[in-house]
């Protein structure tokens, strides 16, 4: 219990630090959202609109930095991140909620699939090492893991979308996909997701495979496996009960962190395919100096990583008895 309370305290403290840095860093950048918007429209805005814009962005009565900070924390708790500059006057939270399902559906599901496939292949390759099939997957995994995924995405776009016209070139839906959640809507969503899914899946499986293979090889040399064989346990039971469980723990920790970063989206992949997820909007917020949107996305990424890390710690307590006994 003390372990969990300590982890919860670290979570709350780290989240507060992340939120505080999120408040400080944008204020170190010269200018303000109104100046950015005036520069963007190059004098085409009526000067009388400046006061209205300051009111819209909450810059008309800033107060002291301390009062700004507590106002910021209050707005953060209520989910008020202000209005987007690049998509003005859309509230930032609306932009995030609109893009979040695309990112969770695309990057989240693909991350889970790549972890399961890569770990299964890594278990086979590590346990059956020395056999032709098990050893053959290693150079393939190394090649896929070293291949830039944005390059592979561009290759898929050129061959399968531009040349063969099997899949759409960009976006997440057709212009007129039909009623939301209808059969035609789901078909359109699936067709647009095939190439991004292939890009992330093919280029990420290799990393999980190599990690799991190394873990299995390390576990295979432990004395408790020799003891299990001496007890007459079958190879299948040894793999499932001893090898898989112990080899999976380090990979599972990395997997939890990967799930946390899912909220940030696969930025380059979403840019290549113009897929309207959080990664795409994060890139747009940086290029357009959209500080409110950038600030919100950074906060959600930090929150997701911290939550994922906390959940991994909780699950490790269940999987690893050494933690429950206070020895790890």
């Amino acid at each position: 219990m003390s372990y969990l309370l300590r982890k919860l305290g670290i979570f709350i403290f780290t989240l507060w630090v992340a939120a505080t840095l999120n408040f400080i860093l944008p204020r170190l950048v010269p200018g303000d959202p109104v100046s950015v918007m005036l520069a963007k429209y190059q004098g085409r805005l009526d000067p009388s609109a400046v006061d209205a814009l300051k009111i819209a962005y909450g810059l008309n009565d800033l107060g002291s930095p301390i009062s700004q900070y507590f106002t910021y924390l209050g707005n953060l708790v209520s989910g008020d991140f202000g209005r987007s500059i690049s998509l003005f006057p859309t509230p930032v939270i609306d932009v995030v909620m609109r893009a979040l399902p695309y990112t969770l559906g695309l990057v989240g599901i693909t991350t889970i699939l790549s972890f399961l496939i890569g770990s299964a292949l890594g278990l086979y390759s590590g346990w059956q090492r020395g056999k032709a099939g098990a050893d053959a997957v290693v150079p393939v995994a190394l090649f896929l893991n070293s291949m830039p995924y944005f390059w592979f995405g561009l290759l898929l776009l050129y061959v399968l979308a531009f040349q063969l016209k099997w899949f759409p070139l960009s976006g997440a839906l057709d212009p007129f996909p039909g009623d939301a959640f209808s059969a035609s809507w789901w078909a359109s969503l699936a067709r647009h997701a095939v190439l991004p899914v292939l890009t992330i899946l093919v280029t990420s499986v290799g990393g999980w495979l190599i990690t799991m293979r190394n873990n299995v090889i390390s576990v295979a040399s432990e004395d408790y496996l020799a003891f299990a064989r001496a007890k007459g346990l079958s190879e299948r039971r040894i793999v499932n009960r001893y090898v898989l469980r112990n080899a999976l723990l380090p990979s599972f920790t990395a997997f939890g962190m990967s799930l946390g970063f899912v909220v940030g989206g696969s930025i380059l992949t979403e840019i290549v395919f113009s897929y309207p997820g959080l990664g795409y909007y994060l890139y747009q917020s940086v290029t357009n100096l959209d500080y409110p949107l950038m600030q919100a996305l950074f906060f959600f990424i930090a929150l997701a990583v911290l939550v994922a890390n906390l959940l991994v710690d909780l699950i490790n307590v269940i999987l690893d008895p050494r933690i429950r006994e206070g020895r790890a």
Side-chain angles (χ1 to χ4, degrees):
M1 180 60 69
S2 61
Y3 172 83
L4 297 179
L5 290 176
R6 185 171 69 253
K7 289 294 182 180
L8 184 61
I10 293 173
F11 169 81
I12 295 173
F13 175 76
T14 309
L15 183 61
W16 170 75
V17 171
T20 302
L21 290 175
N22 217 13
F23 170 80
I24 295 173
L25 293 179
R27 285 159 176 78
L28 298 178
V29 179
D32 56 55
V34 175
S35 301
V36 173
M37 182 168 285
L38 290 175
K40 177 180 178 181
Y41 289 100
Q42 298 179 351
R44 286 176 289 171
L45 286 177
D46 190 331
S48 62
V50 174
D51 291 337
L53 288 173
K54 287 185 176 181
I55 293 174
Y57 284 111
L59 301 173
N60 57 317
D61 186 18
L62 292 176
S64 67
I66 299 298
S67 63
Q68 290 181 51
Y69 176 68
F70 284 105
T71 301
Y72 159 79
L73 290 181
N75 291 337
L76 201 64
V77 172
S78 63
D80 182 9
F81 293 92
R83 298 183 182 275
S84 170
I85 296 173
S86 57
L87 300 172
F88 186 83
T90 307
V92 166
I93 193 64
D94 290 350
V95 179
V96 173
M97 291 298 105
R98 185 172 60 199
L100 185 60
Y102 290 109
T103 291
L104 293 180
L106 175 70
V107 188
I109 293 176
T110 308
T111 300
I112 295 173
L113 287 176
S114 65
F115 172 74
L116 294 176
I117 296 172
S119 296
L121 292 175
L123 176 63
Y124 164 75
S125 177
W127 190 247
Q128 300 293 332
R129 68 187 185 281
K131 296 184 178 180
D135 292 342
V137 299
V138 177
V140 176
L142 289 172
F143 171 75
L144 295 178
N145 191 46
S146 62
M147 183 168 54
Y149 54 89
F150 65 89
W151 176 85
F152 185 67
L154 289 171
L155 182 64
L156 291 181
L157 269 180
Y158 179 75
V159 176
L160 299 181
F162 181 71
Q163 292 289 343
L164 300 178
K165 303 187 187 307
W166 290 352
F167 300 99
L169 283 167
S170 62
L173 290 167
D174 293 327
F176 303 101
D179 295 334
F181 307 113
S182 64
S184 60
W185 186 90
W186 283 109
S188 175
L189 185 69
R191 286 180 63 249
H192 283 77
V194 168
L195 295 185
V197 165
L198 278 177
T199 299
I200 301 173
L201 192 62
V202 170
T203 55
S204 61
V205 163
W208 296 116
L209 189 155
I210 296 299
T211 301
M212 188 63 177
R213 183 178 189 273
N214 293 337
N215 293 341
V216 169
I217 292 174
S218 176
V219 170
S221 62
E222 296 292 340
D223 294 337
Y224 56 79
L225 290 189
F227 182 71
R229 290 191 179 94
K231 289 173 60 178
L233 298 181
S234 65
E235 288 293 301
R236 182 175 181 179
R237 187 174 183 184
I238 291 174
V239 170
N240 292 335
R241 184 169 182 178
Y242 296 99
V243 177
L244 180 60
R245 184 170 184 175
N246 289 281
L248 200 59
L249 280 174
S251 294
F252 187 76
T253 301
F255 172 65
M257 297 300 294
S258 297
L259 283 182
F261 282 106
V262 160
V263 175
S266 184
I267 298 177
L268 290 179
T269 301
E270 292 184 3
I271 293 171
V272 168
F273 294 97
S274 298
Y275 201 81
L278 292 178
Y280 176 79
Y281 281 106
L282 179 59
Y283 170 76
Q284 294 296 326
S285 69
V286 172
T287 56
N288 293 311
L289 299 179
D290 190 342
Y291 300 130
L293 181 57
M294 193 190 314
Q295 191 174 14
L297 290 174
F298 284 149
F299 175 78
F300 277 109
I301 292 171
L303 177 62
V305 171
L306 290 173
V307 170
N309 191 41
L310 181 63
L311 291 177
V312 167
D313 288 335
L314 295 178
I315 295 175
N316 280 339
V317 171
I318 300 174
L319 297 178
D320 194 342
R322 295 173 301 174
I323 298 177
R324 292 196 299 269
E325 296 169 2
R327 292 181 295 172

